[in-house]
Amino acid sequence: PIRFGIKAGVNLPNIIKDDGNNNFDTKLNPGFNAGITLDIGLIKGLAFTPELLYATKGYKAETSFGEFTQTTHFIDIPILATINLGGSGLNLVVGPQVSFLTSTKNKFDNGFGTVEQQFDEDSDKFKKSLLGGLIGFRYDINDKVDLHGRYALDFQKN
Amino acid sequence: EFKNQVFSVGFGYKF
């Protein structure tokens, strides 16, 4: 059977920097994700579960001039397999993900004032589509409601 | 250049 669903959650994004680009520390830039889900049962204990999500990512960095915050907005399409663990409510969720950058906002706060820049689909500055992967767990509280936790990492650089 | 990584927690509802 095929079931539609919705999901929403808190995102705790950060970045992984290139070697040789580690002269500043970054912090989490908390955000959110929300979207629609599909659950297509294949065989007992295995389902194909693609999703269409809106998600914010990015990072914060303390510089000697103040705090820099970059918030990136994405359409994420995770293409997932959901594997039930031992007939319990616990499932392993794993698969690739394609992410499309829709906009980027940079905020700079030096303690006296704030400067903001917005880039909308600026393909010269930021990569517009990224391939990544995710792994996580989903706990089914009942037939309709679940709680889940995930880790996602892009394979390509932004 | 950098790669995005995201920890997330949330809930889902299936119709």
Side-chain angles (χ1 to χ4, degrees), chain A residues 67-88:
Chain A
E67 186 179 70
F68 175 75
T69 304
Q70 181 169 83
T71 304
T72 44
H73 296 249
F74 282 91
I75 304 290
D76 280 349
I77 303 178
I79 301 158
L80 305 174
T82 296
I83 301 151
N84 186 255
L85 298 177
S88 68

Side-chain angles (χ1 to χ4, degrees), chain A residues 4 6 8 10 12 14 16 144 146 148 150-152 154 158, chain B:
Chain A
F4 281 98
I6 52 175
V10 175
L12 299 173
N14 200 341
I16 296 176
K144 291 182 180 295
D146 72 78
H148 53 259
R150 294 173 172 183
Y151 175 73
D154 285 349
N158 201 341
Chain B
E1 289 195 319
F2 54 82
K3 292 176 180 175
N4 292 298
Q5 62 170 339
V6 183
F7 288 98
S8 65
V9 291
F11 72 92
Y13 182 90
K14 282 200 278 287
F15 296 101

Side-chain angles (χ1 to χ4, degrees), chain A residues 35-131:
Chain A
I36 56 176
T37 63
L38 264 183
D39 190 303
I40 303 168
L42 299 176
I43 55 171
K44 185 175 165 56
L46 177 65
F48 176 52
T49 53
E51 301 176 348
L52 177 62
L53 305 175
Y54 190 85
T56 68
K57 304 176 190 179
Y59 66 99
K60 295 185 180 198
E62 292 292 344
T63 75
S64 49
F65 305 106
E67 186 179 70
F68 175 75
T69 304
Q70 181 169 83
T71 304
T72 44
H73 296 249
F74 282 91
I75 304 290
D76 280 349
I77 303 178
I79 301 158
L80 305 174
T82 296
I83 301 151
N84 186 255
L85 298 177
S88 68
L90 192 61
N91 303 275
L92 176 68
V93 177
V94 64
Q97 169 170 278
V98 185
S99 299
F100 299 95
L101 182 65
T102 63
S103 68
T104 299
K105 184 183 272 187
N106 292 332
K107 193 172 97 178
F108 196 81
D109 187 343
N110 66 3
F112 299 101
T114 301
V115 178
E116 293 193 11
Q117 296 174 286
Q118 171 122 9
F119 303 95
D120 292 314
E121 298 185 23
D122 187 341
S123 58
D124 292 336
K125 233 179 186 82
F126 303 101
K127 202 163 181 76
K128 285 175 76 171
S129 62
L130 295 166
L131 180 65

